Amino acid sequence: MKVYQWIDRCWVSAFPPRCVVCHAPGSEGLSVCRDCLADLPWHVPGCRVCGDALPGTTMRAEAVAQKNHVCGRCLRTPPGFDQVTAALAFATPVDGWVRRFKYSGTLYLGRLLSELFLLRCVPAIPDLIVPVPLHRDRLKLRGFNQSAELASVMARRLGVPLVQDLLVRAQAGVPQSTLLARDRRRAMRGVFQVKRPLDRARVALVDDVLTTGATASACARALKHAGAAEVRVWVISRA
Ligand SMILES: [Zn+2]
Ligand SMILES: [Zn+2]
């Protein structure tokens, strides 16, 4: 057992976690109880590529996932990444946890969100874990990169190297929601740079929330351009 796992276990047995929703004892070593865990807005798998819900298929989610359906949007314009794995939908209480973690620096919620991802999703083990980077001005303002915090929990748990200085955001963001998909792609061109070649590496790209997928797609394109064989996107929540 590694030292940090031992410390972790001692900590949990000395201070058993309490549910962040109802304060009942936590379940699975998490700060969410069994009932609240079952009530979380878990993401229903849809499109094999982007994870988006497929119209009229919510009742047969498992069957849809098995059939490898791809949505019309991914068929028309394949994104830069190979697949999205999402744990939760961006709904109550997850949306509030993400905001408190991101904007108020409530780091234990970030850790909880990463643990929920690992509890729900069993992703194929990649060669590298890379967080979606923030522009340095934004990083200075916020004090931390939320994606890097999430990625570091995942990397430690899975025993996969976390590489934080590989992918950089060279330009500050543009407001995505006001743009059409085609303009979004154009606006994202050259925003991300990869600092060294990737020798056919399989990369897991970590982010907190996937909305349009334009950012993840632009990161994935940059990583593939640098030689990545595969880019899978791991997100806590699918908006
Ligand atoms: Zn609870
Ligand atoms: Zn899709």
Side-chain angles (χ1 to χ4, degrees), residues 14-187:
F15 306 100
R18 290 264 153 189
C19 178
V20 290
V21 183
C22 72
H23 303 290
S27 168
E28 316 250 0
L30 301 173
S31 43
V32 180
C33 73
R34 206 186 324 161
D35 290 348
C36 291
L37 202 58
D39 284 347
L40 286 179
W42 297 105
H43 172 70
V44 178
C47 168
R48 176 167 60 82
V49 180
C50 71
D52 211 356
L54 295 166
T57 52
T58 44
M59 299 304 286
R60 295 178 290 111
E62 310 293 289
V64 170
Q66 276 166 12
K67 280 193 173 164
N68 278 339
H69 280 299
V70 178
C71 75
R73 209 176 45 172
C74 289
L75 283 174
R76 275 192 306 275
T77 320
F81 47 75
D82 295 278
Q83 193 177 47
V84 173
T85 303
L88 295 146
F90 197 65
T92 316
V94 174
D95 51 357
W97 292 348
V98 169
R99 287 194 195 102
R100 275 169 64 200
F101 161 53
K102 208 162 153 176
Y103 303 114
S104 311
T106 314
L107 294 181
Y108 75 86
L109 286 177
R111 184 177 159 152
L112 171 63
L113 291 165
S114 306
E115 300 281 6
L116 290 173
F117 176 88
L118 295 174
L119 183 76
R120 176 71 172 188
C121 308
V122 189
I125 301 296
D127 299 314
L128 306 172
I129 294 185
V130 175
V132 168
L134 284 182
H135 186 258
R136 60 175 188 278
D137 294 347
R138 179 76 65 87
L139 185 63
K140 221 180 266 175
L141 209 67
R142 191 173 296 167
F144 72 103
N145 175 358
Q146 75 278 1
S147 304
E149 291 292 324
L150 299 167
S152 78
V153 176
M154 295 175 188
R156 207 175 58 193
R157 285 285 157 127
L158 298 172
V160 177
L162 169 72
V163 192
Q164 292 202 53
D165 58 351
L166 177 72
L167 181 66
V168 295
R169 187 171 191 133
Q171 294 162 35
V174 277
Q176 294 288 318
S177 48
T178 55
L179 300 177
L180 293 171
R182 197 190 45 215
D183 299 331
R184 243 182 254 136
R185 270 196 307 282
R186 203 168 289 160

